[in-house]
Short mmCIF file of all heavy atoms in Angstrom, two decimals:
data_model
loop_
_atom_site.label_atom_id
_atom_site.label_comp_id
_atom_site.label_asym_id
_atom_site.label_seq_id
_atom_site.Cartn_x
_atom_site.Cartn_y
_atom_site.Cartn_z
N VAL A 28 6.60 165.31 164.54
CA VAL A 28 6.49 165.33 163.09
C VAL A 28 7.58 166.21 162.52
O VAL A 28 8.05 167.14 163.15
CB VAL A 28 5.10 165.82 162.62
CG1 VAL A 28 4.04 164.80 162.94
CG2 VAL A 28 4.75 167.14 163.23
N VAL A 29 7.99 165.91 161.32
CA VAL A 29 9.08 166.61 160.68
C VAL A 29 8.54 167.36 159.49
O VAL A 29 7.82 166.81 158.68
CB VAL A 29 10.17 165.60 160.23
CG1 VAL A 29 11.30 166.31 159.55
CG2 VAL A 29 10.67 164.82 161.42
N ALA A 30 8.88 168.61 159.37
CA ALA A 30 8.44 169.40 158.22
C ALA A 30 9.33 169.08 157.03
O ALA A 30 10.54 169.01 157.15
CB ALA A 30 8.52 170.89 158.54
N ALA A 31 8.72 168.86 155.90
CA ALA A 31 9.49 168.59 154.69
C ALA A 31 10.08 169.90 154.19
O ALA A 31 9.45 170.93 154.26
CB ALA A 31 8.60 167.98 153.62
N ARG A 32 11.29 169.81 153.68
CA ARG A 32 11.95 171.00 153.17
C ARG A 32 12.03 170.90 151.65
O ARG A 32 12.91 170.25 151.11
CB ARG A 32 13.35 171.10 153.76
CG ARG A 32 13.35 171.30 155.25
CD ARG A 32 14.74 171.45 155.76
NE ARG A 32 15.49 170.21 155.65
CZ ARG A 32 15.81 169.45 156.67
NH1 ARG A 32 15.45 169.78 157.88
NH2 ARG A 32 16.49 168.35 156.50
N GLY A 33 11.07 171.53 150.98
CA GLY A 33 11.10 171.57 149.53
C GLY A 33 10.84 170.22 148.90
O GLY A 33 10.10 169.40 149.40
N ARG A 34 11.46 169.99 147.77
CA ARG A 34 11.40 168.73 147.03
C ARG A 34 9.97 168.31 146.68
O ARG A 34 9.63 167.14 146.72
CB ARG A 34 12.07 167.61 147.81
CG ARG A 34 13.43 167.98 148.32
CD ARG A 34 14.47 167.08 147.81
NE ARG A 34 15.76 167.56 148.24
CZ ARG A 34 16.65 166.85 148.86
NH1 ARG A 34 16.43 165.60 149.10
NH2 ARG A 34 17.78 167.37 149.20
N GLY A 35 9.11 169.27 146.40
CA GLY A 35 7.78 168.94 145.94
C GLY A 35 6.79 168.61 147.05
O GLY A 35 5.69 168.18 146.77
N TYR A 36 7.14 168.79 148.30
CA TYR A 36 6.24 168.45 149.39
C TYR A 36 5.57 169.68 149.98
O TYR A 36 4.88 169.58 150.97
CB TYR A 36 6.96 167.65 150.47
CG TYR A 36 7.34 166.30 149.95
CD1 TYR A 36 8.64 166.02 149.56
CD2 TYR A 36 6.38 165.31 149.82
CE1 TYR A 36 8.97 164.79 149.07
CE2 TYR A 36 6.72 164.07 149.32
CZ TYR A 36 8.01 163.81 148.95
OH TYR A 36 8.34 162.59 148.45
N SER A 37 5.80 170.83 149.46
CA SER A 37 5.14 172.10 149.78
C SER A 37 5.13 172.46 151.26
O SER A 37 4.24 173.14 151.73
CB SER A 37 3.71 172.12 149.23
OG SER A 37 2.90 171.19 149.92
N GLY A 38 6.11 171.97 152.02
CA GLY A 38 6.25 172.38 153.40
C GLY A 38 5.19 171.87 154.35
O GLY A 38 5.11 172.32 155.47
N ARG A 39 4.34 170.95 153.95
CA ARG A 39 3.30 170.46 154.86
C ARG A 39 3.90 169.53 155.91
O ARG A 39 4.96 168.98 155.73
CB ARG A 39 2.20 169.75 154.07
CG ARG A 39 2.67 168.51 153.38
CD ARG A 39 1.59 168.00 152.43
NE ARG A 39 2.25 167.08 151.52
CZ ARG A 39 1.96 165.79 151.44
NH1 ARG A 39 1.03 165.27 152.17
NH2 ARG A 39 2.60 165.02 150.59
N MET A 40 3.20 169.36 156.99
CA MET A 40 3.66 168.50 158.07
C MET A 40 3.47 167.04 157.65
O MET A 40 2.49 166.68 157.03
CB MET A 40 2.89 168.78 159.35
CG MET A 40 3.08 170.19 159.86
SD MET A 40 4.78 170.63 160.13
CE MET A 40 5.02 169.95 161.72
N LEU A 41 4.41 166.21 158.01
CA LEU A 41 4.38 164.82 157.62
C LEU A 41 4.21 163.94 158.84
O LEU A 41 4.78 164.20 159.89
CB LEU A 41 5.68 164.46 156.92
CG LEU A 41 5.99 165.33 155.71
CD1 LEU A 41 7.39 165.06 155.22
CD2 LEU A 41 4.99 165.06 154.62
N ASP A 42 3.45 162.89 158.70
CA ASP A 42 3.28 161.98 159.82
C ASP A 42 4.18 160.76 159.65
O ASP A 42 4.82 160.58 158.63
CB ASP A 42 1.82 161.59 159.99
CG ASP A 42 1.27 160.81 158.81
OD1 ASP A 42 2.01 160.64 157.82
OD2 ASP A 42 0.12 160.38 158.88
N PHE A 43 4.18 159.93 160.65
CA PHE A 43 5.04 158.75 160.67
C PHE A 43 4.75 157.83 159.50
O PHE A 43 5.66 157.31 158.86
CB PHE A 43 4.86 158.01 162.00
CG PHE A 43 5.74 156.82 162.13
CD1 PHE A 43 7.01 156.95 162.67
CD2 PHE A 43 5.33 155.57 161.72
CE1 PHE A 43 7.84 155.84 162.80
CE2 PHE A 43 6.14 154.46 161.83
CZ PHE A 43 7.40 154.61 162.37
N ALA A 44 3.47 157.62 159.21
CA ALA A 44 3.08 156.68 158.15
C ALA A 44 3.63 157.12 156.79
O ALA A 44 4.12 156.30 156.02
CB ALA A 44 1.57 156.54 158.09
N ALA A 45 3.58 158.42 156.50
CA ALA A 45 4.10 158.92 155.22
C ALA A 45 5.61 158.76 155.15
O ALA A 45 6.16 158.38 154.11
CB ALA A 45 3.71 160.38 155.03
N GLN A 46 6.28 159.03 156.24
CA GLN A 46 7.74 158.89 156.27
C GLN A 46 8.15 157.43 156.13
O GLN A 46 9.08 157.11 155.40
CB GLN A 46 8.30 159.47 157.57
CG GLN A 46 8.13 160.96 157.67
CD GLN A 46 8.60 161.47 159.02
OE1 GLN A 46 9.47 160.91 159.65
NE2 GLN A 46 8.02 162.57 159.45
N TYR A 47 7.45 156.54 156.83
CA TYR A 47 7.79 155.13 156.77
C TYR A 47 7.52 154.56 155.38
O TYR A 47 8.29 153.75 154.87
CB TYR A 47 7.03 154.34 157.85
CG TYR A 47 7.50 152.92 157.97
CD1 TYR A 47 8.73 152.63 158.56
CD2 TYR A 47 6.74 151.86 157.50
CE1 TYR A 47 9.18 151.32 158.68
CE2 TYR A 47 7.19 150.55 157.61
CZ TYR A 47 8.40 150.29 158.19
OH TYR A 47 8.86 149.00 158.29
N ALA A 48 6.45 154.99 154.75
CA ALA A 48 6.14 154.53 153.39
C ALA A 48 7.23 154.98 152.41
O ALA A 48 7.66 154.21 151.55
CB ALA A 48 4.77 155.06 152.95
N ALA A 49 7.69 156.21 152.55
CA ALA A 49 8.78 156.70 151.69
C ALA A 49 10.07 155.92 151.97
O ALA A 49 10.83 155.61 151.06
CB ALA A 49 9.01 158.19 151.92
N PHE A 50 10.30 155.58 153.23
CA PHE A 50 11.48 154.79 153.60
C PHE A 50 11.40 153.40 153.00
O PHE A 50 12.40 152.87 152.49
CB PHE A 50 11.58 154.75 155.12
CG PHE A 50 12.69 153.90 155.66
CD1 PHE A 50 13.99 154.07 155.22
CD2 PHE A 50 12.44 152.94 156.61
CE1 PHE A 50 15.02 153.29 155.72
CE2 PHE A 50 13.46 152.17 157.13
CZ PHE A 50 14.75 152.34 156.68
N GLN A 51 10.23 152.78 153.01
CA GLN A 51 10.06 151.46 152.42
C GLN A 51 10.32 151.49 150.91
O GLN A 51 10.87 150.55 150.36
CB GLN A 51 8.66 150.92 152.68
CG GLN A 51 8.45 150.44 154.09
CD GLN A 51 7.05 149.93 154.30
OE1 GLN A 51 6.07 150.59 153.95
NE2 GLN A 51 6.95 148.74 154.86
N ARG A 52 9.92 152.58 150.25
CA ARG A 52 10.13 152.73 148.80
C ARG A 52 11.55 153.14 148.46
O ARG A 52 11.95 153.14 147.31
CB ARG A 52 9.20 153.81 148.24
CG ARG A 52 7.76 153.49 148.21
CD ARG A 52 6.98 154.55 147.41
NE ARG A 52 7.29 155.91 147.79
CZ ARG A 52 6.63 156.63 148.70
NH1 ARG A 52 5.62 156.10 149.34
NH2 ARG A 52 6.96 157.87 148.96
N ARG A 53 12.32 153.57 149.49
CA ARG A 53 13.65 154.13 149.30
C ARG A 53 13.59 155.32 148.33
O ARG A 53 14.37 155.44 147.39
CB ARG A 53 14.64 153.08 148.80
CG ARG A 53 14.95 152.05 149.86
CD ARG A 53 15.84 150.94 149.36
NE ARG A 53 16.30 150.06 150.40
CZ ARG A 53 15.56 149.18 151.06
NH1 ARG A 53 14.29 149.09 150.81
NH2 ARG A 53 16.07 148.40 151.98
N ASP A 54 12.64 156.19 148.61
CA ASP A 54 12.35 157.35 147.76
C ASP A 54 13.51 158.35 147.82
O ASP A 54 13.79 158.93 148.87
CB ASP A 54 11.06 158.00 148.24
CG ASP A 54 10.54 159.06 147.30
OD1 ASP A 54 11.28 159.45 146.37
OD2 ASP A 54 9.41 159.51 147.51
N PRO A 55 14.20 158.60 146.68
CA PRO A 55 15.33 159.53 146.70
C PRO A 55 14.93 160.98 146.96
O PRO A 55 15.77 161.78 147.34
CB PRO A 55 15.95 159.37 145.30
CG PRO A 55 14.91 158.73 144.47
CD PRO A 55 14.00 157.97 145.38
N ALA A 56 13.67 161.31 146.80
CA ALA A 56 13.22 162.68 147.08
C ALA A 56 13.33 163.00 148.57
O ALA A 56 13.37 164.16 148.95
CB ALA A 56 11.78 162.87 146.60
N TRP A 57 13.36 162.00 149.42
CA TRP A 57 13.45 162.20 150.86
C TRP A 57 14.88 162.22 151.37
O TRP A 57 15.12 162.45 152.55
CB TRP A 57 12.67 161.10 151.57
CG TRP A 57 11.20 161.22 151.39
CD1 TRP A 57 10.50 160.93 150.27
CD2 TRP A 57 10.26 161.67 152.33
NE1 TRP A 57 9.16 161.17 150.46
CE2 TRP A 57 9.00 161.63 151.73
CE3 TRP A 57 10.36 162.10 153.65
CZ2 TRP A 57 7.85 162.02 152.39
CZ3 TRP A 57 9.21 162.47 154.30
CH2 TRP A 57 7.97 162.43 153.67
N ASP A 58 15.84 161.96 150.50
CA ASP A 58 17.24 161.92 150.89
C ASP A 58 17.68 163.31 151.34
O ASP A 58 17.60 164.27 150.60
CB ASP A 58 18.09 161.43 149.72
CG ASP A 58 19.43 160.90 150.17
OD1 ASP A 58 19.61 160.68 151.38
OD2 ASP A 58 20.29 160.70 149.30
N GLY A 59 18.15 163.41 152.57
CA GLY A 59 18.55 164.69 153.13
C GLY A 59 17.43 165.43 153.83
O GLY A 59 17.67 166.38 154.56
N VAL A 60 16.19 165.00 153.64
CA VAL A 60 15.04 165.63 154.28
C VAL A 60 14.78 164.98 155.63
O VAL A 60 14.43 165.65 156.60
CB VAL A 60 13.77 165.50 153.39
CG1 VAL A 60 12.55 166.02 154.11
CG2 VAL A 60 13.99 166.24 152.09
N VAL A 61 14.96 163.68 155.69
CA VAL A 61 14.69 162.92 156.91
C VAL A 61 15.76 161.84 157.08
O VAL A 61 16.33 161.37 156.08
CB VAL A 61 13.26 162.33 156.87
CG1 VAL A 61 13.14 161.24 155.85
CG2 VAL A 61 12.82 161.85 158.22
N PHE A 62 16.06 161.50 158.32
CA PHE A 62 17.01 160.44 158.64
C PHE A 62 16.30 159.40 159.47
O PHE A 62 15.50 159.74 160.35
CB PHE A 62 18.23 161.01 159.36
CG PHE A 62 19.05 161.90 158.49
CD1 PHE A 62 18.73 163.24 158.36
CD2 PHE A 62 20.12 161.41 157.77
CE1 PHE A 62 19.47 164.07 157.54
CE2 PHE A 62 20.86 162.23 156.95
CZ PHE A 62 20.54 163.56 156.83
N VAL A 63 16.58 158.14 159.22
CA VAL A 63 15.87 157.03 159.83
C VAL A 63 16.75 156.37 160.88
O VAL A 63 17.85 155.91 160.57
CB VAL A 63 15.48 155.99 158.75
CG1 VAL A 63 14.66 154.88 159.37
CG2 VAL A 63 14.75 156.65 157.61
N ALA A 64 16.29 156.31 162.12
CA ALA A 64 17.03 155.66 163.20
C ALA A 64 16.32 154.37 163.59
O ALA A 64 15.09 154.32 163.65
CB ALA A 64 17.12 156.58 164.40
N VAL A 65 17.09 153.33 163.83
CA VAL A 65 16.54 152.03 164.21
C VAL A 65 16.89 151.78 165.67
O VAL A 65 18.07 151.67 166.03
CB VAL A 65 17.10 150.91 163.30
CG1 VAL A 65 16.47 149.58 163.66
CG2 VAL A 65 16.87 151.24 161.84
N LYS A 66 15.87 151.68 166.50
CA LYS A 66 16.07 151.54 167.95
C LYS A 66 16.78 150.25 168.31
O LYS A 66 17.59 150.24 169.24
CB LYS A 66 14.72 151.60 168.66
CG LYS A 66 14.05 152.95 168.57
CD LYS A 66 12.79 152.97 169.39
CE LYS A 66 11.59 152.78 168.48
NZ LYS A 66 10.32 152.92 169.16
#
Side-chain angles (χ1 to χ4, degrees):
V28 290
V29 179
R32 296 182 291 253
R34 311 239 175 128
Y36 292 102
S37 68
R39 64 190 163 117
M40 298 304 277
L41 304 170
D42 64 356
F43 182 89
Q46 293 175 29
Y47 188 73
F50 176 52
Q51 285 180 310
R52 291 190 311 267
R53 291 176 172 71
D54 190 349
W57 290 74
D58 201 13
V60 174
V61 69
F62 293 85
V63 184
V65 183
K66 293 185 260 186

